[in-house]
Amino acid sequence: MAIAVASSWFNALASTGTSRYTVSSQRLFSSPQISATRLVVPKAASKSPNPKRRALKEHARKASPQKEANIEKLSRRSRDERPYSNADDHGDVQNAEQPQSTAFKSFGTQRKNAKGFMGNLKDQQAETAKIQDATFLNAVVKVYCTHTAPDYSLPWQKQRQYTSTGSAFMIGDGKLLTNAHCVEHNTQVKVKRRGDDTKYVAKVLAKGMECDIALLSVENENFWKGAEPLQFGHLPRLQDPVTVVGYPLGGDTISVTKGVVSRIEVTSYAHGSGELLGIQIDAAINPGNSGGPAFNDQGECIGVAFQVYRSDDVENIGYVIPTTVVSHFLDDYERNGKYTGFPSLGILLQKLENPALRACLKVPSNEGVLVRRVEPTSGASNVLKEGDVIVSFDGVEVGSEGTVPFRSTERIAFRYLISQKFTGDIAELGIIRSGAFMKVHTAMNPRVHLVPYYIEGGQPSYLIVAGLVFTPLSEPLIDEECEDSIGLKLLTKARYSMARFKGEQIVILSQVLANEVNIGYEDMSNEQVLKFNGTRIKNIHHLAHLIDSCNDRYLVFEFEDNYLAVLEREASSAASPCILKDYGIPSERSSDLLEPYVDPVGENEVLEHHDLGDSPVANSDFGFDGLQWA
């Protein structure tokens, strides 16, 4: 099966149609998936570390051994990254193509064969000089970012700013590519070219959090004088040589490490929430390498360095975002003027490896995956049902292990085909329903998360009512508060519940600012509010709307386990300004809650309330125990 792979962003001579990217056909392949101990985004250490938050992170890890055993959601702040040793501390370019045992043997016997050793040394020096003179190194720049992250526990303010460094590279048309985590929560971004002492201000045009890619621009023409942007190459093959270039810790000048391609498969992206195609390499990737390019032997960029596999049992396992993912990001930005995301079918799948299971479902051959659950917010909810068996996607047959053909002789996870689609595209699914084969069509849209992995706009929403602080539950808030303080019940909902409609949120009472008007409620924290005056709450904007339009004497908040918090409405209104002044809070609500409220599902539509169902939906279902999201 021929799959299109992106080539160059800026090769205008070869571009056709509406897209500016050149595309060439290649057959793709992969090998079976493994589960990681910990995926870590290797950013540079912050110049303003926060020991308290680092201690909180370590405490969270100790308190959750199950999460430690799976792919860990890594910290979004470079200050939480501890520095670790560079594989090239001695300054030589390491040739990872040579087996380690051979390298040690050559070093140990150099006195017996001094002539041979000197010959090898000359070859290494010549290779190093060749790399130093390579023009593609001049397209790699150093990124200086100042971050000011929101304080999710105190959502009306920001955290103390910190700085970090990373890498980026030129792709032409006045633009640079880097990792999204390098410029997350940025207040200032500057870049500096190799051999230059001037830093230029850069603007962030788009950030793809789930694919960990960001697009930058530099308006100053002096920055681009003599610049030669990089050309994108094709997806590499196993054991192809790869060179990673960037500005990691350990020095101020550019760094080059070498290795080979070890594996190509669908990989968990530690900074985001999904799984996309990734290239595993054995070249060293250290804090500061993030956003730097990886090259093949022809000097073509084959991807972007972005994360490492950290474990006591393995060494030198790094990951590169391939050009297929990069091209999807750039095409998405060019089509829509912004990043809209990678689409999802919004279904939970089960493998059909067992013959009895296939026979029960009337599947005649060793093919297909079982639709175990369909998200109400997905486009597939109108065409797919629980119990359907998906046997093909856009004409490509789906195997009973949830894999599809990839290149010539290998297979890859079914999710890969889905990730090649764009938001709004239509996919054709071949399904077996009650033994009958049929074809259905569904629109592709990004997955709707009940508990988001990142906050649109950066600043979280909040509402303060007589000292009661309400805010939506989010993954950054869970990370900041630590799992122990959030509580098992909220964590279970965050991991296992699905959104019933777009815009639904889990609204929690995060804390109570003590005052006479709320006496007796001071110890409440991180409790989900379910109803206000008998009306079920859809999101925090809905809660603000209900309170603003309330004329009753009492404000009645209903929480889990029928716990009540009741306030006298007029007394609450009178006390609120004093509470805000005492605690130095500028406003009783975030700016987004000042906008008119729009009901996400309609005033007359009644939503059936579901407690936690018997079909849990967790991050651990992504490709484990026969279950996977698509």
Side-chain angles (χ1 to χ4, degrees), residues 16-21 331 334-335:
T16 59
T18 58
S19 175
R20 291 154 55 190
Y21 316 116
D331 278 331
E334 184 175 284
R335 287 184 179 193

Side-chain angles (χ1 to χ4, degrees), residues 166-486:
S167 306
F169 59 94
M170 303 175 183
I171 61 172
D173 199 22
K175 295 180 175 63
L176 302 164
L177 270 187
T178 187
N179 284 145
H181 72 258
C182 290
V183 293
E184 186 178 18
H185 305 307
N186 68 88
T187 51
Q188 185 183 68
V189 180
K190 295 180 291 186
V191 293
K192 185 176 72 172
R193 291 183 59 177
R194 180 190 181 202
D196 196 353
D197 61 352
T198 304
K199 298 176 183 177
Y200 298 88
V201 175
K203 179 182 178 181
V204 179
L205 298 178
K207 284 186 294 185
M209 305 301 289
E210 59 187 330
C211 62
D212 203 1
I213 303 175
L215 185 64
L216 312 180
S217 68
V218 178
E219 296 181 357
N220 195 314
E221 295 181 357
N222 292 329
F223 175 80
W224 299 101
K225 288 183 177 179
E228 293 186 16
L230 298 182
Q231 299 286 336
F232 286 132
H234 300 307
L235 194 69
R237 295 187 176 271
L238 292 185
Q239 297 187 357
D240 278 0
V242 60
T243 301
V244 176
V245 180
Y247 292 86
L249 291 179
D252 294 327
T253 59
I254 201 165
S255 171
V256 179
T257 57
K258 297 194 69 178
V260 297
V261 174
S262 307
R263 178 183 284 125
I264 301 175
E265 67 179 358
V266 174
T267 303
S268 293
Y269 277 43
H271 186 67
S273 59
E275 296 181 337
L276 300 169
L277 193 67
I279 303 173
Q280 179 184 317
I281 63 174
D282 65 357
I285 297 178
N286 291 305
N289 269 126
S290 291
F295 296 98
N296 58 20
D297 274 353
Q298 288 73 46
E300 298 171 327
C301 176
I302 61 167
V304 185
F306 77 116
Q307 68 186 24
V308 296
Y309 179 97
R310 181 175 292 173
S311 172
D312 294 335
D313 300 326
V314 298
E315 294 180 355
N316 291 344
I317 295 184
Y319 291 91
V320 172
I321 304 171
T323 53
T324 52
V325 176
V326 173
S327 177
H328 189 288
F329 170 84
L330 295 175
D331 278 331
D332 187 9
Y333 176 78
E334 184 175 284
R335 287 184 179 193
N336 303 290
K338 62 179 182 179
Y339 173 73
T340 63
F342 285 77
S344 167
L345 280 178
I347 55 178
L348 184 62
L349 301 175
Q350 179 177 342
K351 299 175 183 179
L352 294 183
E353 297 177 277
N354 187 275
L357 178 58
R358 292 196 301 270
C360 179
L361 295 170
K362 300 179 181 178
V363 179
S365 58
N366 186 20
E367 62 178 349
V369 286
L370 174 65
V371 176
R372 186 168 177 259
R373 200 168 182 185
V374 183
E375 291 188 325
T377 55
S378 73
S381 62
N382 297 322
V383 296
L384 291 179
K385 299 179 180 180
E386 295 179 5
D388 287 347
V389 176
I390 299 176
V391 295
S392 68
F393 183 90
D394 279 348
V396 180
E397 294 183 357
V398 180
S400 62
E401 288 187 332
T403 59
V404 295
F406 191 53
R407 286 194 178 174
S408 57
T409 60
E410 300 294 332
R411 301 183 69 85
I412 196 169
F414 172 41
R415 294 183 298 279
Y416 171 73
L417 292 183
I418 300 172
S419 69
Q420 301 305 294
K421 292 286 190 178
F422 290 89
T423 299
D425 285 355
I426 302 298
E428 180 186 81
L429 301 176
I431 66 172
I432 295 177
R433 178 178 296 168
S434 301
F437 175 80
M438 63 182 68
K439 291 185 178 181
V440 297
H441 296 82
T442 180
M444 304 294 295
N445 292 295
R447 190 179 175 206
V448 176
H449 293 276
L450 180 62
V451 178
Y453 283 82
Y454 46 87
I455 305 297
E456 295 291 341
Q459 197 68 20
S461 303
Y462 73 90
L463 174 67
I464 302 176
V465 182
L468 276 64
V469 181
F470 298 97
T471 189
L473 184 65
S474 65
E475 287 292 341
L477 176 60
I478 294 174
D479 290 343
E480 193 170 289
E481 284 286 304
C482 296
E483 294 182 355
D484 283 351
S485 63
I486 287 293

Side-chain angles (χ1 to χ4, degrees), residues 530-585:
L530 300 176
K531 295 181 180 180
F532 173 76
N533 283 6
T535 302
R536 182 164 295 277
I537 296 169
K538 301 172 184 175
N539 52 45
I540 192 169
H541 208 160
H542 184 218
L543 175 60
H545 171 71
L546 293 175
I547 293 174
D548 292 343
S549 57
C550 177
N551 294 318
D552 297 341
R553 179 178 179 182
Y554 295 107
L555 307 178
V556 182
F557 300 92
E558 297 182 44
F559 298 88
E560 287 280 0
D561 300 323
N562 296 322
Y563 194 91
L564 296 179
V566 180
L567 302 171
E568 206 278 325
R569 181 171 59 85
E570 293 184 357
S572 298
S573 299
S576 289
C578 297
I579 295 174
L580 297 179
K581 182 179 179 181
D582 291 344
Y583 288 89
I585 302 174

